[in-house]
Amino acid sequence: MDLFAHLATGFGVALTPDNFLYCLLGATFGTLVGVLPGIGPLTTIAMLLPLTFKMTPVASLIMLSGIYYGAHHAGSTTAIMLNTPGDPSSLVICLDGHPMAKQGRAGPALCIAAIGSFFAGSFGVLLMALFSPPLAGVALKFAAPEYTSLVIVALIATVVLARGRFLLNIGMSLLGLLLGTVGTDIESGSARFTFDNPNLADGINFIVIAVGLFAFAEMISNLGRGRTTRPVPAPLRSLLPRRADLAASWKPILRGTILGSALGLLPGTGPMVSSFASYSLERQLARDKSRFGNGAIEGVAGPEAANNAAAITHFIPMLTLGIPAGAAMALMLGAMLVQGITPGPRMLTDHPDIFWGLLASMWLGNLMLLVLNLPMVGIWIKLLTIPYRFLVPAILVFCCIGVYSVNNAAFDVVLAAGFGALGYAFSLLRCQPMPLIVGFILGPILEQSLRRALLLSRGDLTVFVMRPISATLLILAVCLLGWAAFSMRERKQA
Amino acid sequence: MSLRIRDRAGFAAGLLFLAVGAGAVGIARDYQIGSALHMGPGYFPIALGLLLAIVGAASVLRASVVTEDRPGRIALRPVLAIGAAVVVFAAGIDRIGLIPSVFVSALIASKATPRPNVAEAGLIAACLTILSAGIFYYGLKLPFSLF
């Protein structure tokens, strides 16, 4: 079968000593930052991106994705032990994970979380292997009008499904699209919004925006909130779960995996929404709802599986369609573009080694996390107690060096500081940065395919509704908007 | 209907969008718009700018109808310290080189934390300087000058 040949290629790539090392490095690093207070996966990816430019494309992708899912795994550790989520997607793990830890059952909670994560991660990888080739096959038939409609659907889904207020999300998305137009227009060669500054002639580098909006802004918000006192970790006795724990967990893990895999595919939802959805599903299904919030193991198993399944299936639209489903994927897409690889349907045929190598490395990485995390949990917990004030100068300096080294331009560093201030303002005004970064990445693609589509149709706008795939996509977009309007009215009445 | 601002966060964000949208249209007016068939460089930015201005205006109007929670308070100290540390790094890197820039920048960044301790900050800055010179200059051989 084709699949096995592909997987063999993939493991061949992922198991070369270099790539294996980068996978291990990425997963370990991801875990490290996942447990460190105040550094989320986005900050880490933004901070370490410039380091990967000198690597081969496969190696850099393997390492970056290792950081991403590693951080997702580790987020639950801090949630269980300290009641502080390492990243937003493990917020719900706190609800039952920490009560379990307080009852002296931190070990089983961590263990079930790790098993659930591994199962969900493996399932996600399997889905990716099975469905990416057909999806890319469909996408290969897309011409400019279909691509335009696809990007529009993705943008609308991002805006509708992202956290935060609908209207503000639209504004953020448009702002991102507008930022994407800065620089020299490819077709006419005329400069746009450059203010005669040669540093802006090639547009704003996405790393500048990423570091500013995520790393710097997050740091300022953390400091502003004054998160200085660290809670004391719960005691850790035996790691092994009881038989009853396993019996109670396998169904939630299964349900969480399926739910997470589906939600991970949608733009704007991703790991965080998945873990919330799984938690409320488990609560609905439970016979005794009062156990939830007081250390119900289902409340750890389900969400943790959902969030890790979604973290993997999140990659599918980015790799096969070139559409990032969230902020982290927008960063990964940017990293690939810097390496000269355009993700999309052609990637599977043009760079099969990269696609299958990355896929195989994801499974290996998940296996490593299972093996690494449980025995080393003591070390990770020690790291939790590092004060944030030690980390601030370190994050700042590494970000500055990273941004500078992209173009050796001090201007970029200043610009990143500006985006940091802007990002902090956004967080005060409760505007989500995610639609902005997705808009920024998709903006140039939207403009180009729109131009090309209208050139082909001789300026006839009906081209978008006359072609069946494009029309279907646009109907989907309208449905999403309708649903958003409907749920807003519901909320007002409630 | 009174025009009291009830949702200050939405109001401020709306104003920001309105200003950026209007500004973008103002600047992009000078670019060729073209037609749908041959879109000029101005077509897409002007369309986006207009939409952004409309969304901004809608958000401003909505702010007088809906009551939401207040925007967060600005924490001035971290904004200034982090901003200054980044700008100092940018100003220094091409002129005085990696080692002094990193050291000074890390010192200033420590000021962002509550109750900064000079001796501790100096120690952290020194460690970071050695570490970054080791990783980026000697390890990755990035084109920096050390001094």
Side-chain angles (χ1 to χ4, degrees), chain A residues 435-451:
Chain A
L436 188 148
I437 193 88
V438 172
F440 177 76
I441 292 280
L442 287 179
I445 304 173
L446 177 63
E447 186 179 13
Q448 268 181 46
S449 50
L450 188 67
R451 275 180 170 176

Side-chain angles (χ1 to χ4, degrees), chain B residues 32-57:
Chain B
Q32 264 195 335
I33 296 179
S35 61
L37 173 56
H38 284 290
M39 272 190 220
Y43 198 99
F44 196 61
I46 286 181
L48 291 175
L50 281 175
L51 279 173
L52 187 60
I54 293 169
V55 168

